[in-house]
Amino acid sequence: MKRFPRSLQFRISWIYMLISFVTIGIIGAVLYFGISRVVLNDSIQSSNMAISKSGTLVEMYIDRLKVLSTLLARSPQTIQTLSSQTKAGEKDELQFINNVLLSDSYIKSVVVIGKDGYVLSNEKKLNMRRSSDMMNEPWYVAAINSTNPALTSARMQKFSMDKNNWVISMSQEIKDADNRNLGVVLLDIEYKGIEDYLNDLKLGSKGFAFIINSKGEIVYHKDPAYFTDQNKQEQLRKISMSEQGFDQTQNLLVYKTKLQNSDWTLVGVSSLDGLQQVRNQLLRSFAIVGLGLLLLIIVVSPFIAKSITRPIHRLEQAMQKVET
């Protein structure tokens, strides 16, 4: 086996190349992880802000709906109509309901239900259980006790997978001057009214957003299958109960925001595709630059080594002449 030459020039050349390789590797690693961390923090902040902004928009919309339901419930016209034995003022109340409908295109229907089963609504055919004493109806009592919006099927029909029939229902109790129950106001808002605020969220190829209420029920998800598949619902519940933050193993960011004036929580799961693209671009750039520098070092190092050993070589020759 042929031995490698052990000249001083060869050794200096190899040491120079080795030091250059290590230096390039360290600088490249420091730059890669430093830039990646900066991009990661920026991506996390951007995703969190986007989810928080969407949550704020949903909050504002819910607040607006609550204002409308409160106006209806506390309107002297509504109280007078339900208190009157002859239901005087019914025409004016219907006009009030129509004005509410005109204020928001997403409001599908407005229903005013008296304690005695009397109903005023823009809908002509209502499919709901009624009786002379509505306090005997569980859904009526539930509507009185809760003002939180809830996802239900339109007009209490069997829940279907057709989003066009889904509504977000909001209720408000109607009371007289003596704080006695007179009835309930129901607002039905098209599912699209909430969905439009969340559809434009950019959460990456594997990202998604969903809304879950305090009972662990799924209120919103872009995939309708999550409303019928128990396993998928359980996955979302686990995500909603997990700690928020960035999971490096799965490259997923989880961010949660509680929606004010409701029992809803908006959860955003982002795959941070932009971060991965930047990392890949950094690796490609560092690889190209690193290879270029390494080739340059391989070419230049023999000349540098030769320039260092040339004086030593001349000294050696001079000493041989002196010795002779």
Side-chain angles (χ1 to χ4, degrees):
M1 182 176 179
K2 186 178 179 179
R3 295 170 62 102
F4 287 102
R6 295 183 180 273
S7 66
L8 182 61
Q9 179 179 335
F10 181 80
R11 292 178 182 178
I12 292 175
S13 178
W14 269 103
I15 291 172
Y16 180 76
M17 284 191 290
L18 180 61
I19 293 174
S20 300
F21 293 163
V22 173
T23 303
I24 291 174
I26 292 174
I27 293 175
V30 170
L31 287 175
Y32 173 77
F33 288 109
I35 295 174
S36 294
R37 182 173 294 277
V38 171
V39 175
L40 171 62
N41 293 335
D42 184 65
S43 299
I44 290 175
Q45 185 177 4
S46 298
S47 297
N48 290 350
M49 287 180 61
I51 296 168
S52 180
K53 179 181 178 181
S54 295
T56 301
L57 292 174
V58 175
E59 286 176 1
M60 292 173 62
Y61 187 60
I62 292 174
D63 288 342
R64 180 185 174 190
L65 294 174
K66 285 194 172 185
V67 168
L68 290 175
S69 65
T70 301
L71 284 175
L72 275 166
R74 297 181 181 179
S75 167
Q77 184 64 54
T78 304
I79 296 173
Q80 178 187 350
T81 302
L82 295 183
S83 301
S84 172
Q85 294 293 333
T86 60
K87 306 304 178 187
E90 181 178 288
K91 185 177 180 181
D92 293 334
E93 182 65 15
L94 285 173
Q95 183 60 47
F96 192 3
I97 290 175
N98 288 330
N99 291 336
V100 171
L101 290 169
L102 292 173
S103 68
D104 190 337
S105 60
Y106 288 127
I107 298 179
K108 188 171 184 177
S109 63
V110 177
V111 185
V112 175
I113 309 168
K115 185 180 178 181
D116 56 359
Y118 170 76
V119 173
L120 272 176
S121 174
N122 61 296
E123 287 196 34
K124 303 303 179 183
K125 297 180 180 179
L126 291 174
N127 182 16
M128 59 171 59
R129 292 181 58 184
R130 285 178 289 167
S131 61
S132 57
D133 186 1
M134 294 298 292
M135 285 297 184
N136 295 326
E137 302 296 338
W139 70 265
Y140 182 86
V141 176
I144 291 175
N145 295 331
S146 175
T147 58
N148 288 322
L151 176 66
T152 62
S153 59
R155 296 275 57 83
M156 301 182 183
Q157 296 171 357
K158 185 177 180 181
F159 197 88
S160 68
M161 295 304 293
D162 183 6
K163 283 187 178 182
N164 293 328
N165 287 329
W166 295 1
V167 293
I168 305 295
S169 292
M170 184 175 294
S171 61
Q172 180 80 25
E173 184 179 12
I174 304 171
K175 297 180 180 180
D176 60 13
D178 297 325
N179 207 33
R180 293 176 299 186
N181 175 259
L182 289 177
V184 169
V185 172
L186 291 179
L187 291 183
D188 282 348
I189 303 92
E190 292 181 8
Y191 187 74
K192 185 175 171 52
I194 300 295
E195 189 177 39
D196 280 356
Y197 290 111
L198 303 173
N199 271 345
D200 293 334
L201 267 176
K202 306 298 182 183
L203 300 176
S205 58
K206 297 181 181 179
F208 57 91
F210 64 94
I211 295 177
I212 189 169
N213 63 18
S214 59
K215 299 178 182 178
E217 299 169 339
I218 308 303
V219 176
Y220 164 81
H221 194 285
K222 63 181 180 181
D223 184 0
Y226 280 86
F227 291 99
T228 56
D229 192 322
Q230 293 297 325
N231 293 329
K232 291 185 175 182
Q233 291 180 23
E234 188 60 31
Q235 292 175 5
L236 297 184
R237 292 189 188 100
K238 289 181 179 179
I239 293 174
S240 67
M241 291 185 293
S242 65
E243 294 184 4
Q244 66 178 15
F246 180 63
D247 186 348
Q248 293 185 355
T249 57
Q250 300 183 21
N251 196 40
L252 291 176
L253 168 69
V254 176
Y255 183 78
K256 296 178 284 187
T257 177
K258 181 73 172 63
L259 303 184
Q260 300 298 321
N261 299 322
S262 72
D263 66 340
W264 291 1
T265 299
L266 173 61
V267 182
V269 180
S270 176
S271 59
L272 300 182
D273 292 347
L275 172 63
Q276 192 59 42
Q277 292 175 1
V278 171
R279 284 177 171 175
N280 293 337
Q281 184 62 43
L282 283 175
L283 285 175
R284 286 193 294 267
S285 300
F286 287 153
I288 294 172
V289 174
L291 286 174
L293 289 175
L294 291 178
L295 289 175
L296 181 63
I297 291 169
I298 291 173
V299 174
V300 173
S301 59
F303 295 98
I304 295 175
K306 187 175 181 180
S307 65
I308 294 174
T309 58
R310 185 181 294 116
I312 300 175
H313 182 63
R314 288 176 180 175
L315 178 61
E316 182 183 7
Q317 290 178 338
M319 290 178 66
Q320 288 177 353
K321 289 180 180 180
V322 170
E323 183 181 2
T324 302

